[in-house]
Amino acid sequence: MIEIADPDAMRTWSRAERKSGRTIALVPTMGSLHEGHLRLIDRVRERVDRVVVSIFVNPLQFGSTEDLGAYPRDLDRDRAAALGRGTDGLFVPTAEVMYPAPAVVRVVPGSLADSLCGAQRPGHFEGVLTVVMKLFNIVEPNLASFGRKDAQQAVVIRRMVTDLNLPIEIDVAPTVRERDGLAMSSRNAYLSEAERRVAPALARGLDAAHEAFLGGERAVDRLVAAARAPIDSEPALELEYLEVVDPVSLAPVETAEAASIMAVAARIGAARLIDNIILGEGTGADPRVGQ
Ligand code: AMP
């Protein structure tokens, strides 16, 4: 596995691979790799000749009051984990090389950022799209894989690729969960033991809504009520949003349909956790690992 920090060197490596007829996949991450990230590597490993994993905690997507400074970082562990899953190239740029000058020109998500996390985190998806565009331009992959755990992110990235005619296939992978249903996340490291016990209530809420949906319920207020029952029973969980949105426009809907996305965000202690299901699929369809 080659490790590269310089964007020009990364592009030179990538172009040489492409010139030799090899295909490349990119898995962008912020590091602190867990099984959710590693499954993205597994998925693309089967489809391309070279897998590049980027590790970059992108300052542009963090609000001024958010956890940029505290975000967990462990490059030694990540290096071993990425290598263990067959990564060929690890791209680990610094903020200084990614943003040598202020990022004046950016990619904007438009109305796709009006709901869910976009409404709660002004500028977040602009920061995400801008860095993903930069990573795409640096690595020039044929394929890039993202997790459905960040459902809004996957939608805005797919839309960027469509609207800006980027020659890259986007793969979106199911959410990898702990055995008790909690979606795996680097931010789960912020949870105390007591908070960790409470956190799966989010997934239980989504499962309850999914059950109601499968039972024929389509009214969003009743689906939300079903999801809220387990969540509200945990006072430590401070709900930020719980919405059902259209899978393309991400606009809230009043009547759910198959493929509508139910998404939730909640604060618990120092952590802000997000999760979602695609109605008709449910969290039960997601892979589970761990204890
Ligand atoms: P992050 O490092 O949190 O920015 O995540 C990097 C990529 O991994 C993103 O595409 C995420 O959606 C994806 N990801 C994070 N957690 C999970 C998970 N539990 N299951 C599947 N994909 C995930």
Side-chain angles (χ1 to χ4, degrees):
M1 182 173 79
I2 186 169
E3 187 169 320
I4 300 176
D6 178 64
D8 292 334
M10 183 70 244
R11 189 189 281 117
T12 301
W13 182 87
S14 244
R15 285 202 172 163
E17 293 295 329
R18 295 274 300 254
K19 209 163 166 216
S20 305
R22 287 187 275 273
T23 52
I24 298 177
L26 172 65
V27 177
T29 80
M30 297 205 300
S32 198
L33 300 182
H34 52 66
E35 189 61 24
H37 299 114
L38 299 176
R39 298 271 172 107
L40 299 182
I41 300 174
D42 295 346
R43 279 170 77 87
V44 297
R45 179 71 281 171
E46 289 177 6
R47 297 196 46 207
V48 297
D49 302 306
R50 296 285 179 262
V51 177
V52 175
V53 174
S54 63
I55 297 180
F56 179 57
V57 183
N58 174 36
L60 215 59
Q61 71 189 67
F62 286 77
S64 58
T65 60
E66 294 182 357
D67 57 341
L68 175 62
Y71 198 84
R73 293 163 168 89
D74 189 344
L75 185 56
D76 289 341
R77 228 185 103 250
D78 288 348
R79 188 181 287 121
L83 179 63
R85 298 300 257 261
T87 301
D88 302 288
L90 198 61
F91 180 47
V92 286
T94 61
E96 289 70 32
V97 298
M98 287 296 273
Y99 303 111
V104 175
V105 177
R106 301 182 188 200
V107 184
V108 294
S111 58
L112 293 178
D114 289 347
S115 59
L116 311 178
C117 289
Q120 301 292 330
R121 306 181 67 189
H124 170 68
F125 287 111
E126 192 173 299
V128 169
L129 289 185
T130 302
V131 81
V132 170
M133 181 64 124
K134 285 168 72 75
L135 291 169
F136 283 175
N137 287 331
I138 292 165
V139 177
E140 298 182 339
N142 306 85
L143 172 70
S145 191
F146 296 86
R148 183 165 292 147
K149 198 268 206 170
D150 299 279
Q152 186 170 23
Q153 171 172 282
V155 171
V156 297
I157 288 168
R158 269 195 196 285
R159 191 60 181 263
M160 172 175 81
V161 164
T162 301
D163 287 358
L164 302 183
N165 301 85
L166 304 184
I168 298 170
E169 181 188 338
I170 301 299
D171 169 65
V172 178
T175 300
V176 179
R177 299 176 179 281
E178 304 281 0
R179 219 156 71 189
D180 60 11
L182 177 65
M184 297 188 90
S185 165
S186 307
R187 290 188 166 101
N188 291 350
Y190 298 149
L191 299 173
S192 69
E193 251 177 61
E195 289 162 353
R196 174 64 188 80
R197 280 195 294 275
V198 164
L202 291 180
R204 283 203 304 278
L206 295 175
D207 276 336
H210 184 236
E211 284 297 309
F213 181 85
L214 292 181
E217 186 58 78
R218 294 293 181 271
V220 163
D221 52 355
R222 285 199 283 273
L223 292 171
V224 165
R228 281 196 74 135
I231 297 171
D232 288 346
S233 74
E234 299 291 357
L237 276 172
E238 201 183 310
L239 199 59
E240 199 175 83
Y241 65 70
L242 176 58
E243 287 183 66
V244 179
V245 298
D246 177 90
V248 176
S249 71
L250 298 177
V253 295
E254 282 176 20
T255 305
E257 292 172 21
S260 297
I261 300 172
M262 175 177 260
V264 63
R267 288 183 184 279
I268 175 167
R272 178 181 181 277
L273 304 181
I274 61 172
D275 200 352
N276 68 85
I277 48 165
I278 297 180
L279 290 171
E281 281 186 15
T283 62
D286 291 331
R288 296 188 183 215
V289 295
Q291 295 292 61

